[in-house]
Amino acid sequence: ETGVTQSPTHLIKTRGQQVTLRCSSQSGHNTVSWYQQALGQGPQFIFQYYREEENGRGNFPPRFSGLQFPNYSSELNVNALELDDSALYLCASSRVDREGGSGYTFGSGTRLTVV
Amino acid sequence: TQLLEQSPQFLSIQEGENLTVYCNSSSVFSSLQWYRQEPGEGPVLLVTVVTGGEVKKLKRLTFQFGDARKDSSLHITAAQPGDTGLYLCAGYHTDKLIFGTGTRLQVFP
């Protein structure tokens, strides 16, 4: 089975620009969660998508938005980039069904630097 | 305010030493997980503890879930340089996986 793939691996953007990060979920998984991780800290929950709809959101402003596609892949969009948005962005997929949820599988992340 | 607080934040020790990392919360969790993350990689699940008081062992790593299911600890015996990394506890809160503040461990040969 394939794992979680994120692209790009590294990205440099200028303050005020917009960015789109992509994530392909693990085969058989239907839920995608996005996290922001500052250097040396624990990942902060941004939001989760299930059945192409946002299914929970952390303490992030509306300029952080996302999409989930019918094949369960996902995008994270960030508008009006700020310097503090520089971080490692992690995507995790899992499977949720009537019996409950599976564990999370994480991608290797996208390192975003805003200058 | 962090739901899961870890201590210490940083730990730098010599090979062969023992260490304990703590994960504390004022909330009750149905289960807690421990992850290890290396630079440039995503977190990798080490263990899930479910029952209050549960103890799980993974080679030199011992994980314990508090009786009240509000805290957990990770004990490493005879640490090795390969144990170096960021250790994260995590729990489900309103069905979303929430991470602790992290403990960065450096083991010197």
Side-chain angles (χ1 to χ4, degrees):
Chain A
E1 62 184 17
T2 57
V4 175
T5 305
Q6 292 188 241
S7 62
T9 55
H10 296 83
L11 199 52
I12 299 175
K13 287 286 191 178
T14 303
R15 190 172 47 182
Q17 284 188 313
Q18 178 267 342
V19 69
T20 297
L21 311 182
R22 294 179 175 81
C23 171
S24 295
S25 58
Q26 180 170 307
S27 176
H29 285 183
N30 57 12
T31 302
V32 174
S33 303
W34 285 92
Y35 293 83
Q36 180 195 66
Q37 185 177 27
L39 203 59
Q41 297 182 19
Q44 296 289 314
F45 175 71
I46 303 175
F47 43 54
Q48 183 182 85
Y49 276 82
Y50 172 67
R51 290 186 174 178
E52 301 177 50
E53 290 191 0
E54 189 178 288
N55 179 38
R57 189 179 184 92
N59 189 26
F60 281 82
R63 59 189 185 85
F64 285 78
S65 63
L67 284 172
Q68 186 182 30
F69 300 99
N71 66 353
Y72 306 119
S73 66
S74 177
E75 287 182 355
L76 164 65
N77 299 290
V78 187
N79 293 323
L81 283 167
E82 301 176 359
L83 297 179
D84 285 348
D85 295 333
S86 296
L88 180 69
Y89 288 85
L90 293 165
C91 167
S93 73
S94 60
R95 177 159 190 88
V96 176
D97 53 33
R98 279 182 228 166
E99 283 80 45
S102 71
Y104 283 41
T105 302
F106 283 84
S108 297
T110 294
R111 171 70 61 190
L112 172 66
T113 303
V114 182
V115 297
Chain B
T1 304
Q2 287 283 353
L3 204 58
L4 288 165
E5 294 281 349
Q6 289 183 236
S7 62
Q9 188 177 359
F10 300 99
L11 201 50
S12 182
I13 61 172
Q14 292 293 128
E15 182 177 3
E17 291 185 24
N18 301 331
L19 67 113
T20 302
V21 176
Y22 299 94
C23 174
N24 294 292
S25 176
S26 56
S27 300
V28 175
F29 287 89
S30 58
S31 65
L32 274 181
Q33 299 181 331
W34 284 92
Y35 290 78
R36 180 166 164 260
Q37 184 180 18
E38 298 193 43
E41 299 292 331
V44 175
L45 180 65
L46 296 174
V47 76
T48 301
V49 285
V50 179
T51 307
E54 180 178 5
V55 176
K56 280 192 174 178
K57 291 194 174 184
L58 188 67
K59 297 183 182 178
R60 293 176 294 100
L61 278 60
T62 301
F63 304 86
Q64 185 162 6
F65 201 12
D67 291 340
R69 291 185 288 128
K70 291 183 178 181
D71 55 86
S72 181
S73 64
L74 157 61
H75 183 79
I76 301 180
T77 304
Q80 298 177 0
D83 296 328
T84 293
L86 180 67
Y87 288 83
L88 298 159
C89 66
Y92 286 95
H93 180 68
T94 59
D95 297 328
K96 309 301 180 289
L97 188 64
I98 304 300
F99 283 88
T101 48
T103 295
R104 182 160 295 282
L105 172 64
Q106 177 82 51
V107 183
F108 292 97

